[in-house]
Amino acid sequence: MNYVFQFGDVFNAWPELLLGAWLTIRLSGLAMILGLAVAVLCALGKTQGPRPVRWLVDVYVEVIRNTPFLVQIFIIFFGLPRAGIRLDANEAALLAMVINAGAYCTEIVRAGIETIHKGQIEAGLALGLKRLQIFLYVVLFPALKAIYPSLTSQFILLMLTSSVVSAISAEELTAVANNLQSQTFRSFEIYIVVTGMYFAMSLMFAGAFALIYRAVFARTDAAR
């Protein structure tokens, strides 16, 4: 093997790569928050909503989970303008990620909600709690605690999947790497570095999720 590694061009492009990584983190973080909100609403509709709502949620979940993420991005970025809705690449990427995360997390949240025994809800009603208080503190909080590891794994997968949005030129890390590769032709070096950056971001998100668990959920255990 006579290949000579040359990382000079990659190191010279560190500012662009870091900006791309920062956009990946921003897109992923916002998509995680909004996707979780969508998942909670859909899970609530699926477990407690009327039949038409449950049917709509089922259709949404099945369509998203059984079609390629790349096709979903193309529909949003290239299809919505036909309906008069124009989004730039980053906005389309965020919308696609939220829709995708919401569908996958709906089933996770639903499973968590269904683990809550009806007796706990009845106890909340007996204590005079309002419906919203019961949902937030008796149902949702324990459910999220039970499914937290599954949710965090799904969110890290979402961050890694965000590389696909480079197909519509969203300015995240993979798109920056592709542009750099077309300028320098140092594919091996560039994608080795980018792989390391994605790995570092995965560890960063995992660490952040662990801190969130300690701050939000573990503290309640200690208080008991």
Side-chain angles (χ1 to χ4, degrees):
M1 181 176 178
N2 297 322
Y3 189 83
V4 177
F5 288 94
Q6 297 180 12
F7 287 92
D9 291 330
V10 182
F11 295 144
N12 290 336
W14 265 118
E16 291 85 353
L17 290 170
L18 290 176
L19 282 175
W22 173 236
L23 181 59
T24 296
I25 292 171
R26 284 169 48 204
L27 275 176
S28 301
L30 192 53
M32 290 172 191
I33 295 170
L34 297 177
L36 179 59
V38 171
V40 170
L41 291 175
C42 289
L44 180 61
K46 191 168 182 177
T47 55
Q48 301 182 26
R51 182 172 296 178
V53 172
R54 296 199 301 268
W55 182 83
L56 286 174
V57 172
D58 284 337
V59 170
Y60 160 60
V61 170
E62 292 303 317
V63 168
I64 296 302
R65 289 174 50 172
N66 291 285
T67 55
F69 182 46
L70 182 61
V71 174
Q72 297 164 19
I73 295 171
F74 284 166
I75 289 174
I76 291 172
F77 188 63
F78 297 113
L80 288 184
R82 296 283 185 176
I85 303 173
R86 299 188 179 278
L87 302 173
D88 64 31
N90 293 340
E91 292 169 342
L94 176 61
L95 179 59
M97 291 171 67
V98 169
I99 292 173
N100 190 270
Y104 278 91
C105 292
T106 291
E107 287 301 307
I108 298 175
V109 176
R110 178 197 58 78
I113 290 176
E114 290 181 347
T115 63
I116 306 302
H117 196 276
K118 291 183 179 180
Q120 295 176 264
I121 299 175
E122 293 171 357
L125 290 172
L127 291 172
L129 296 178
K130 296 180 180 179
R131 289 283 181 179
L132 180 59
Q133 291 175 314
I134 291 174
F135 178 70
L136 290 177
Y137 303 115
V138 179
V139 177
L140 185 60
F141 189 82
L144 288 178
K145 181 181 178 181
I147 61 177
Y148 190 79
S150 298
L151 278 178
T152 56
S153 295
Q154 186 62 47
F155 287 153
I156 291 175
L157 180 61
L158 174 69
M159 186 275 294
L160 297 175
T161 306
S162 69
S163 61
V164 178
V165 305
S166 62
I168 58 172
S169 301
E171 299 171 355
E172 50 75 63
L173 181 57
T174 300
V176 173
N178 292 340
N179 291 336
L180 184 60
Q181 187 275 333
S182 66
Q183 297 169 9
T184 63
F185 303 102
R186 308 305 303 182
S187 305
F188 208 9
E189 294 89 335
I190 291 168
Y191 292 115
I192 286 175
V193 170
V194 168
T195 297
M197 294 177 73
Y198 275 112
F199 182 67
M201 286 189 290
S202 295
L203 293 179
M204 182 197 71
F205 272 111
F209 290 142
L211 291 175
I212 291 171
Y213 184 86
R214 291 175 191 170
V216 177
F217 297 111
R219 186 174 296 177
T220 60
D221 290 338
R224 291 178 181 179

